[in-house]
């Protein structure tokens, strides 16, 4: 409505703007004429002036059938009126204080386990190896338990290709040595073997009473780890021969049931699982 009124006022005022410079009396007469025209225009566009009278509304509904009970509008009780709060600063215009409850604190997520944390307590994951520089030769052996716990799972590995034995306690290498292994005619078997028996002063009945000190028996048909002269150019009949001093230390550290894993050319390092 106001947009139409403004447009009409502009159209009415246009002739006066285009006229020559009016006198003061002419200006006053023109203003009265515009006001009168505006009043008439407002009455023409005011929607309230077009509302039907009460009698006209009654006549429009006369003769219609009465509403059924289902069609009757529900009567809703008018809500009780509250006294209007006193005017003042905006913060005081709130009739009742509204407090939103704080959401319950979510439980702190469990810290994500890093690969190091996952393997820290795994006794079959390599955590340290002995710091040996260069290559080792026949007859060489090393033993150092300083980085390992006093007790824990012992696992022994033998690599037939490298001809090296290693002992790990809870993943820490405590001993290593060069070994003698079997030949093609008498091969050392591959696989995982539990230590069946410990025989400190064993003598071989199968091989002419040959001394085999500190024997750790792996099979009932004669495969074992035992003390032996370890020299280049020699081999065993399938057993794993280690230097006598190394055999004594390994014998003291091992117990029945400990695992011996024999592989060929398998390379493992820190972070790898022994088994």
């Amino acid at each position: 409505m106001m947009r139409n009124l403004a447009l009409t006022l502009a159209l009415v005022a246009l002739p006066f703007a285009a006229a020559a410079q009016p006198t003061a009396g002419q200006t006053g007469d023109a203003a009265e004429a515009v006001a009168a025209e505006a009043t008439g225009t407002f009455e023409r566009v005011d929607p309230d002036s077009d509302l039907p009278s009460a009698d006209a509304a009654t006549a429009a509904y006369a003769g219609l059938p009465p509403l059924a009970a289902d069609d009757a509008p529900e009567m809703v009780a008018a809500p009780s009126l509250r006294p209007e709060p006193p005017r003042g600063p905006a913060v005081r215009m709130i009739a009742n204080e509204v407090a939103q409850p704080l959401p319950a604190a979510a439980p702190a997520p469990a810290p994500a386990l890093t690969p190091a944390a996952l393997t820290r307590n795994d006794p079959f994951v390599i955590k340290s190896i002995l710091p040996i520089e260069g290559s080792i030769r026949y007859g060489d052996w090393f033993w150092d338990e300083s980085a390992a716990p006093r007790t824990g799972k012992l696992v022994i590995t033998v690599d037939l290709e490298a001809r090296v034995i290693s002992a790990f306690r809870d993943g820490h290498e405590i001993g290593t040595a060069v070994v003698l292994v079997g030949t093609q005619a008498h091969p050392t078997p591959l696989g995982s073997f539990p230590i069946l028996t410990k025989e400190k002063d064993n003598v071989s009945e199968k091989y002419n009473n040959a001394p085999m000190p500190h024997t750790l028996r792996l099979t009932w048909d004669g495969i074992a780890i035992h003390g032996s002269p370890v020299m280049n150019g020699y081999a065993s009949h399938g057993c794993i021969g280690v230097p006598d001093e190394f055999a004594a230390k390994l014998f003291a550290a091992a117990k029945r049931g400990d695992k011996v894993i024999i592989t060929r050319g398998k390379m493992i390092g820190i972070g790898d699982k022994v088994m």
Side-chain angles (χ1 to χ4, degrees):
M1 179 178 67
M2 295 303 296
R3 179 178 177 85
N4 294 335
L5 175 59
L7 181 59
T8 304
L9 291 176
L11 294 175
V12 173
L14 184 58
F16 293 93
Q21 295 293 332
T23 64
Q26 290 174 335
T27 302
D29 295 341
E32 291 179 2
V34 171
E37 183 67 22
T39 301
T41 302
F42 180 80
E43 290 175 353
R44 286 197 303 272
V45 299
D46 184 5
D48 293 340
S49 65
D50 296 332
L51 290 176
S53 64
D55 294 338
T58 302
Y61 286 99
L64 294 177
L67 293 174
D70 295 338
D71 297 332
E74 295 184 3
M75 302 300 293
V76 181
S80 59
L81 299 178
R82 297 182 180 178
E84 184 178 354
R87 302 188 66 82
V91 71
R92 297 182 183 275
M93 294 303 292
I94 301 176
N96 298 314
E97 181 180 1
V98 178
Q100 296 293 337
L102 294 176
L113 294 178
T114 63
L118 291 172
T119 60
R120 185 178 299 120
N121 297 323
D122 191 334
F124 303 115
V125 171
I126 299 177
K127 304 175 183 65
S128 68
I129 59 176
L130 294 177
I132 301 172
E133 296 182 1
S135 59
I136 55 178
R137 299 168 298 180
Y138 284 97
D140 289 347
W141 63 275
F142 302 86
W143 193 273
D144 185 356
E145 302 182 35
S146 60
R150 292 180 177 271
T151 60
K153 293 282 187 180
L154 185 77
V155 179
I156 301 170
T157 64
V158 178
D159 184 353
L160 300 183
E161 185 172 305
R163 299 192 180 187
V164 172
I165 187 172
S166 290
F168 297 91
R169 180 184 294 147
D170 272 357
H172 298 274
E173 188 180 36
I174 59 176
T176 184
V178 178
V179 299
L180 294 181
V181 296
T183 63
Q184 290 184 355
H186 303 281
T188 301
L190 301 174
S192 178
F193 305 88
I195 296 176
L196 300 176
T197 63
K198 295 175 61 177
E199 304 167 34
K200 184 179 179 181
D201 298 312
N202 183 40
V203 175
S204 174
E205 299 177 356
K206 186 175 182 179
Y207 299 107
N208 300 321
N209 295 324
M212 297 181 177
H214 300 105
T215 289
L216 302 175
R217 186 178 297 276
L218 305 182
T219 68
W220 295 117
D221 59 357
I223 304 299
I225 301 173
H226 59 78
S228 171
V230 179
M231 296 180 291
N232 188 16
Y234 287 79
S236 71
H237 284 80
C239 288
I240 301 163
V242 299
D244 289 339
E245 297 89 343
F246 182 88
K249 290 185 174 294
L250 188 61
F251 187 91
K255 63 181 183 299
R256 290 181 60 191
D258 287 342
K259 290 296 181 66
V260 177
I261 303 170
I262 305 175
T263 62
R264 183 182 298 278
K266 181 179 180 180
M267 303 293 292
I268 55 176
I270 293 177
D272 296 332
K273 289 184 73 71
V274 177
M275 57 179 298

